[in-house]
Amino acid sequence: MSDPVNLSVEDGIAFVIIDNPPVNALSARVAAGLHDRVTEAAADPAVTAIVLTAVGRTFIAGADITEFGGDGPAVDVHTVLAALEDCAKPVVAALHGTIYGGGLEVAMACHYRIADDAARLGLPEVKLGLLPGAGGTQRLPRLIGVAPALEMISTGKPVTAQDALNLGLVDRLSKGDVRTVAARFAATVARQKSPPPRTRTRTVIPPAPSFWDEAAARIGKSLRGLPAGPHILACVRAAVERPFKEGLDLEGQAFAACVRSRESEALRHLFFAERRAARIKDIPRDTATRPIARVGVIGAGTMGGGIAMCFASAGYPVTLVDINEAALTRGLSTIQGNYAASVAKGRLAAIDRDAALSRIRTATDYAAFADADLVIEAAFEDMDLKRRIFRDLDRVCRPGAILASNTSTLNIDQMAAATARPGDVLGLHFFSPANVMRLLEVVRGVATAPDVMATAMDLTRRICKVAVVSGVCDGFIGNRMVAGYGREANLLMLEGVEPARIDKALTEFGFPMGPIAMGDMVGLDIGVKAAAEAEKAGRGSDDPRPGIIAKRLVAAGRLGQKTGAGLYRYEPGGRRPLPDPVALAIIADAARELGIEPRDIDDQEIVDRCILPLVNEAARILAEGIAQRPGDIDIVWVNGYGFPSLRGGPLFYADSVGLPAVLNRIRQFRNRQDPRDWTPAPLLEQLVAEGRRFADLED
Ligand code: CAA
């Protein structure tokens, strides 16, 4: 194994060079190497100054997350940072790429920081449920002041190099090779022989007395449920009110508590799961992708418009086709409205909006797709219609163009069979609103060519989505699982639990919205139509209970928010769900007709009844090879359905509860409820029998 930190001396400047691909993470070996090389350079009489730099795409992008929870580093990180900060010779950090977490903490212990003008600097630990653990909470406020430091630490948002210069986080920007600029700077300060400025000796100006209460309220809200929140506040406050060493000790204790927390473990799991999900097990990572220069979208409705926005915002020219001229005009005006709203909220610059809009051209004829490299259809969920569309696309699109469906349930293979190029066909299932939601299920048909899959995965990264591969089945990963979630929510209502109680139990579990309010928001007619379509296709359910409430509400004109009433009622123009005796009466009537007796049900049962079907169905999805790995399923549910990230997704949650307990509960429900719904998945039984967890199936 080559040394991850090297030393070379040129003209009296010692270059301490970190080389730990891919992102120069501050592993225990890097920390030890850093300590030894800096100590050597400090002792070398030929050296007048030290430049700390890294090779590859970035300076240190953070502590090595894979080592968290292990035995701890051989060299204490504070000893390494003290070797840098206490060095009698000037130490200059030459920064490029993403200087994150432990990387920025190393940089702050250096005497000077020179940054490449494209660099980004940040302390994103909070996104992993942590706080900076290598002096970041103590050094950052000393360098840039309390308010901006707290903002950076509590949001985890990075700053640009220019902002870092304005804040005083870096001393100078470099337009050219940052290492050369840093070496020149180091030689100059070494000649001046003035004592090196040490961050830890700087004093912090205390904020106004009201600052801490306001900050506590703000952080309490933005970091609700995250143990790191109060620790961040306490540590930054200690930077103002206590000596440096005491602040460091407090930070160390806080970091240790956070790293052990279930929430941080869940967030770290999701970090790696997201990256693993990008890999397709049987397709090499270096598979050549097809060039995508122009994208076509069919259907100017909500989905089609949102998809067009995704690509236009990411710089792709888009051809949006709807055979209905009026629908096209309406769709374009919705797109304009969405962009205008983003500008009004300050999320998008007017110039970027104009550029995105200029990339969208419209047409009413598929002939406009002649120059498209990828066409995504977002027409109604009707198989006959979709097959017709694919036949037409096959005729007008150039050879090699990729043809995709945004279907959320229908069989991709049947659509592919309507073309003479099934290898070029796949599913790209965007979630609504497509311009906002990060998730994309990339559905692999039996015939989908490997390079088409590789292209789709690459493309999703370019449009800033997180992609998960799914095999073909009814509903793919996410919607197949949602069936059990919705079924139990409906049965609970029939058993006498009021909609608001169900929603409350699940929002307390961590969902941003409960299933009942969600149904009203999406529109109850959508599910009713999908059920009718499934019936037509011979995929209907023989159980009338789960669908009965929505059917009756829709028949009564109560489609949800859009009609002012569904399972809740809404004030005109309002979105706040209000309990509605009319809906309760409809539910009670349906329950009576079905002979379902109301009974007392506690919140734990509500949560278990809704969440455990997710786990059980996920186990089947895994066993069938529809999903590649458990983490992929967690990514789908956290990014597409609002499953609380602090619980890591349904399968991480199941592992944390313990699979034997999960299986027991499912068996209890099977004995009391309907065995059709609650038969344990064989994979779940197998894992329990073997004493294993879902995590053991990750690769
Ligand atoms: N530790 C270990 N591995 C890491 C890592 C880290 N901090 N950061 C990234 N990696 C790995 C990724 O898992 C990925 O591995 P694979 O190729 O095997 O999947 C590889 O590096 C490349 O990462 P990305 O695919 O994410 O590449 P990117 O170019 O899109 O993004 C990045 C690079 C901006 C650095 C991004 O990976 C990132 O944000 N990383 C996390 C940074 C972070 O959170 N740092 C703080 C860590 S906690 C800390 O530092 C605590 C402390 O105070 C001491």
Side-chain angles (χ1 to χ4, degrees):
M1 213 188 285
S2 66
D3 214 327
V5 187
N6 299 296
L7 177 65
S8 78
V9 182
E10 290 166 37
D11 300 330
I13 304 295
F15 291 93
V16 173
I17 306 160
I18 301 152
D19 184 5
N20 184 30
V23 295
N24 288 314
L26 185 64
S27 63
R29 283 186 71 232
V30 169
L34 207 51
H35 181 263
D36 293 351
R37 300 293 91 78
V38 169
T39 310
E40 274 171 46
D44 183 346
V47 168
T48 58
I50 299 171
V51 170
L52 181 57
T53 177
V55 293
R57 64 209 248 201
T58 182
F59 189 76
I60 302 168
D64 189 330
I65 308 167
T66 58
E67 292 181 351
F68 288 175
D71 295 338
V75 186
D76 171 48
V77 71
H78 296 302
T79 311
V80 181
L81 300 194
L84 289 164
E85 197 165 39
D86 293 345
C87 185
K89 298 171 185 174
V91 182
V92 182
L95 308 171
H96 75 288
T98 44
I99 304 94
Y100 286 177
L104 184 54
E105 293 173 294
V106 166
M108 288 193 288
C110 295
H111 304 136
Y112 303 97
R113 286 153 293 280
I114 313 285
D116 176 88
D117 64 356
R120 294 176 77 77
L121 302 90
L123 291 174
E125 287 86 347
V126 69
K127 295 185 182 169
L128 300 172
L130 300 169
L131 72 167
T137 62
Q138 303 307 298
R139 286 193 179 87
L140 191 62
R142 284 174 164 80
L143 268 178
I144 69 171
V146 175
L150 191 59
E151 166 77 10
M152 277 181 75
I153 297 170
S154 63
T155 63
K157 281 194 199 138
V159 295
T160 61
Q162 184 60 53
D163 286 344
L165 181 70
N166 299 344
L167 285 165
L169 181 53
V170 301
D171 302 285
R172 202 163 280 198
L173 298 189
S174 138
K175 282 205 187 303
D177 173 30
V178 67
R179 183 176 144 161
T180 311
V181 176
R184 229 180 290 131
F185 180 87
T188 309
V189 289
R191 270 196 304 276
Q192 289 163 353
K193 295 204 183 320
S194 41
R198 299 196 162 91
T199 309
R200 67 155 199 275
T201 60
R202 293 168 69 131
T203 45
V204 204
I205 301 168
S210 60
F211 175 84
W212 298 113
D213 286 344
E214 286 161 18
R218 201 173 53 247
I219 290 178
K221 208 162 142 203
S222 64
L223 300 182
R224 192 166 69 99
L226 197 64
H231 287 303
I232 287 172
L233 197 65
C235 289
V236 172
R237 190 162 188 168
V240 184
E241 296 174 355
R242 300 215 222 156
F244 182 75
K245 174 72 177 67
E246 279 183 30
L248 272 194
D249 289 346
L250 188 72
E251 181 194 87
Q253 289 155 18
F255 186 85
C258 291
V259 90
R260 279 194 307 266
S261 70
R262 188 199 62 186
E263 291 81 359
S264 173
E265 263 187 58
L267 293 172
R268 273 145 43 207
H269 157 72
L270 291 171
F271 176 85
F272 287 115
E274 186 175 322
R275 280 149 186 83
R276 267 196 299 269
R279 285 181 225 146
I280 308 178
K281 283 187 182 177
D282 61 339
I283 299 181
R285 282 174 103 175
D286 57 0
T287 300
T289 56
R290 299 187 187 180
I292 303 290
R294 173 168 283 280
V295 176
V297 177
I298 298 180
T302 312
M303 280 317 286
I307 295 170
M309 284 178 74
C310 291
F311 285 97
S313 301
Y316 290 87
V318 176
T319 307
L320 178 61
V321 170
D322 200 308
I323 42 174
N324 180 333
E325 181 90 54
L328 199 55
T329 311
R330 247 192 337 268
L332 196 59
S333 119
T334 306
I335 291 174
Q336 285 159 344
N338 286 341
Y339 276 127
S342 298
V343 172
K345 285 179 196 150
R347 292 193 191 136
L348 184 72
I351 186 169
D352 294 331
R353 169 202 56 197
D354 295 344
L357 281 171
S358 75
R359 291 186 196 108
I360 302 178
R361 77 177 185 212
T362 56
T364 51
D365 191 328
Y366 293 169
F369 291 141
D371 59 350
D373 305 298
L374 162 71
V375 178
I376 305 166
E377 70 77 20
F380 295 116
E381 290 288 75
D382 176 322
M383 182 54 92
D384 294 339
L385 171 67
K386 303 234 182 219
R387 281 176 57 87
R388 265 200 316 277
I389 289 175
F390 272 84
R391 232 180 349 255
D392 290 345
L393 287 179
D394 193 20
R395 216 183 50 246
V396 299
C397 292
R398 63 163 187 77
I402 298 175
L403 311 182
S405 170
N406 176 53
T407 181
S408 55
T409 48
L410 300 180
N411 189 317
I412 295 294
D413 294 330
Q414 290 177 17
M415 296 176 214
T419 73
R421 52 168 106 184
D424 295 349
V425 176
L426 84 168
L428 290 178
H429 177 213
F430 287 77
F431 285 67
S432 185
N435 50 314
V436 176
M437 299 290 285
R438 277 188 82 216
L439 181 67
L440 187 55
E441 283 178 326
V442 177
V443 185
R444 184 178 188 175
V446 280
T448 310
D451 67 333
V452 169
M453 288 302 291
T455 305
M457 299 308 275
D458 180 57
L459 195 62
T460 50
R461 203 175 150 101
R462 289 172 195 272
I463 60 170
C464 303
K465 300 277 180 210
V466 43
V468 171
V469 175
S470 171
V472 174
C473 68
D474 196 2
F476 314 124
I477 298 172
N479 281 345
R480 174 165 159 184
M481 286 165 67
V482 92
Y485 182 68
R487 179 195 70 223
E488 290 305 315
N490 273 283
L491 294 180
L492 284 163
M493 287 191 282
L494 292 170
E495 287 163 55
V497 186
E498 291 204 2
R501 264 200 68 211
I502 299 174
D503 281 344
K504 184 162 170 283
L506 285 148
T507 49
E508 276 171 7
F509 180 79
F511 279 90
M513 191 183 253
I516 315 295
M518 175 66 85
D520 264 6
M521 193 182 80
V522 173
L524 298 174
D525 53 322
I526 307 278
V528 171
K529 267 193 211 137
E533 180 67 27
E535 189 92 22
K536 203 171 91 189
R539 297 180 288 112
S541 160
D542 57 356
D543 185 353
R545 297 168 307 158
I548 193 167
I549 299 174
K551 241 188 195 162
R552 295 204 171 171
L553 289 167
V554 169
R558 301 175 63 105
L559 310 191
Q561 267 187 29
K562 58 188 167 192
T563 56
L567 276 152
Y568 295 101
R569 68 179 181 84
Y570 301 85
E571 295 296 348
R575 289 160 150 261
R576 201 159 67 88
L578 303 165
D580 188 349
V582 181
L584 297 184
I586 291 176
I587 297 168
D589 283 349
R592 237 187 332 273
E593 284 168 35
L594 290 163
I596 300 172
E597 292 289 327
R599 61 182 186 85
D600 280 340
I601 292 180
D602 63 18
D603 284 358
Q604 188 60 51
E605 176 171 342
I606 296 174
V607 168
D608 289 346
R609 292 264 304 272
C610 292
I611 300 297
L612 299 188
L614 299 178
V615 177
N616 208 28
E617 196 59 33
R620 292 202 179 90
I621 284 173
L622 276 174
E624 289 168 25
I626 296 293
Q628 297 193 93
R629 35 181 107 74
D632 288 21
I633 295 176
D634 287 339
I635 291 296
V636 166
W637 266 75
V638 168
N639 290 285
Y641 298 83
F643 194 96
S645 57
L646 299 186
R647 295 188 187 269
L651 297 185
F652 184 88
Y653 169 71
D655 274 350
S656 64
V657 169
L659 295 191
V662 167
L663 181 59
N664 270 340
R665 194 74 167 140
I666 288 177
R667 285 181 175 145
Q668 274 174 19
F669 291 138
R670 179 192 54 193
N671 296 339
R672 206 183 59 205
Q673 309 271 137
D674 188 334
R676 275 178 308 187
D677 300 335
W678 287 100
T679 301
L683 177 63
L684 182 59
E685 290 182 314
Q686 184 192 334
L687 288 173
V688 171
E690 293 170 356
R692 296 199 299 156
R693 303 173 310 151
F694 284 113
D696 297 322
L697 305 177
E698 296 285 353
D699 52 87

